[in-house]
Amino acid sequence: MNEKKTNKTEKVLEHLQKYGCITSLEAIELYGATRLSAIIFKLRKQGLNISTIDMPFTDRFGTKSV
C-alpha cells in the first residue's frame, strides 16, 4: 500500500527518456496532462535540454498551420 505516486511531470519525463518525444495529444491521452507546455517549461527550469519542433498540420476545417 506504500506505492509512490507518479505525477504527470514525472510521467512525461519518463516518456521523453523512453521514446525521445511526445505530442500534446499523447500527453493528454496517456497521462491526462492537458498542460504539456507547462510541464516542459518546468523540466527545462530543472536543467533538462528539451527541443521543440513545430509540425505542420491541417485542422478539421482544412486550414493549414505550423
Side-chain angles (χ1 to χ4, degrees):
M1 202 54 113
N2 288 336
E3 290 183 31
K4 179 185 179 291
K5 280 192 171 182
T6 306
N7 65 33
K8 293 174 186 178
T9 300
E10 291 169 337
K11 289 178 182 179
V12 168
L13 176 58
E14 289 172 5
H15 185 98
L16 288 171
Q17 290 170 334
K18 185 173 182 178
Y19 300 105
C21 61
I22 190 167
T23 65
S24 294
L25 187 57
E26 288 173 327
I28 293 167
E29 290 177 344
L30 297 172
Y31 312 115
T34 56
R35 299 185 62 231
L36 180 59
S37 61
I39 292 171
I40 298 299
F41 179 83
K42 188 185 301 184
L43 291 172
R44 284 179 174 151
K45 199 169 181 179
Q46 293 174 7
L48 276 80
N49 183 16
I50 300 173
S51 299
T52 298
I53 300 170
D54 291 327
M55 307 274 304
F57 68 95
T58 303
D59 69 13
R60 63 183 176 175
F61 304 109
T63 306
K64 294 184 179 191
S65 185
V66 175

